[in-house]
Amino acid sequence: MNIVLTGFMASGKTEISKAIADISKYTLVDTDDIIVNKMNMTVNEIFEKYGEEYFRKVEREAVLEAAAMDDAVIATGGGVVLDAKNIDALRKTGIIFNLSPSFSVIKERIEEARKTRPLMANESVQKIEQRFNDRKKFYDNCDCKIKVISGRAPKSYALEILKTAEEKSN
């Protein structure tokens, strides 16, 4: 069984997945890392050179690869949930957790996030908030919601997720 983390950009998927891997048997897998290694380009470079549609195609392949693994904690890109096929593949082998911050938490993290996230790089806060709100219905299609707040340590989220995953798999 895998643990899958979904959530909006800058919701904490990478840090929390690392914390889960550090304290458990789960192997850390990040779909963006799979893409970067396969393409030998950064996510930003892929978006700039090929566009979002192409990126989503490569992302779907990365999701299928990650979903085929066993005992992995899978950190996904913020847009993975937009494709129902991604969710179906991930759900077959794992429990899907949505890291769910309020927009105020995302807003606090925007400046740092802009450096590595192409869909945040040149957008206004209002446009980012619109995307955040537009994606809520997709995040609601996950198995478990984890409220994300400022100042809480990734390890505490990791412990909560591991406990919930264990309960759900029994």
Side-chain angles (χ1 to χ4, degrees):
M1 181 206 55
N2 296 324
I3 292 174
V4 180
L5 301 184
T6 66
F8 195 70
M9 298 171 275
S11 63
K13 298 177 299 287
T14 299
E15 292 306 312
I16 294 169
S17 64
K18 286 178 185 174
I20 291 170
D22 286 346
I23 62 172
S24 72
K25 64 177 178 163
Y26 291 91
T27 303
L28 178 61
V29 177
D30 188 309
T31 57
D32 282 351
D33 289 346
I34 294 171
I35 294 165
V36 166
N37 290 334
K38 184 177 284 191
M39 298 293 297
N40 203 23
M41 301 170 82
T42 67
V43 170
N44 282 354
E45 289 168 341
I46 297 166
F47 263 81
E48 287 170 17
K49 187 168 183 177
Y50 299 108
E52 184 174 2
E53 187 177 332
Y54 179 82
F55 175 81
R56 296 295 174 206
K57 178 183 160 298
V58 176
E59 183 178 59
R60 186 175 310 118
E61 295 166 10
V63 165
L64 292 173
E65 184 178 325
M69 296 177 182
D70 289 321
D71 293 329
V73 55
I74 303 169
T76 64
V80 159
V81 297
L82 301 174
D83 186 335
K85 290 177 185 165
N86 288 338
I87 295 300
D88 292 344
L90 292 165
R91 189 169 275 138
K92 282 180 185 158
T93 60
I95 299 170
I96 303 175
F97 289 84
N98 172 246
L99 302 179
S100 182
S102 66
F103 187 72
S104 63
V105 172
I106 298 298
K107 198 172 173 182
E108 290 171 18
R109 300 174 179 181
I110 283 177
E111 285 315 308
E112 189 61 31
R114 286 184 195 273
K115 296 174 187 170
T116 58
R117 291 166 179 88
L119 292 179
M120 276 190 173
N122 300 311
E123 289 191 338
S124 68
V125 172
Q126 293 77 16
K127 183 95 170 153
I128 294 168
E129 185 172 17
Q130 182 64 51
R131 178 174 285 116
F132 176 84
N133 290 326
D134 289 347
R135 288 186 178 179
K136 276 184 182 172
K137 65 181 176 257
F138 296 100
Y139 294 128
D140 287 343
N141 185 29
C142 296
D143 301 319
C144 303
K145 214 174 242 321
I146 303 291
K147 181 118 177 85
V148 174
I149 58 171
S150 290
R152 185 175 172 195
K155 185 176 179 180
S156 72
Y157 290 109
L159 291 167
E160 178 183 350
I161 290 166
L162 286 165
K163 181 176 185 247
T164 303
E166 187 178 317
E167 290 167 358
K168 286 208 169 273
S169 66
N170 290 335

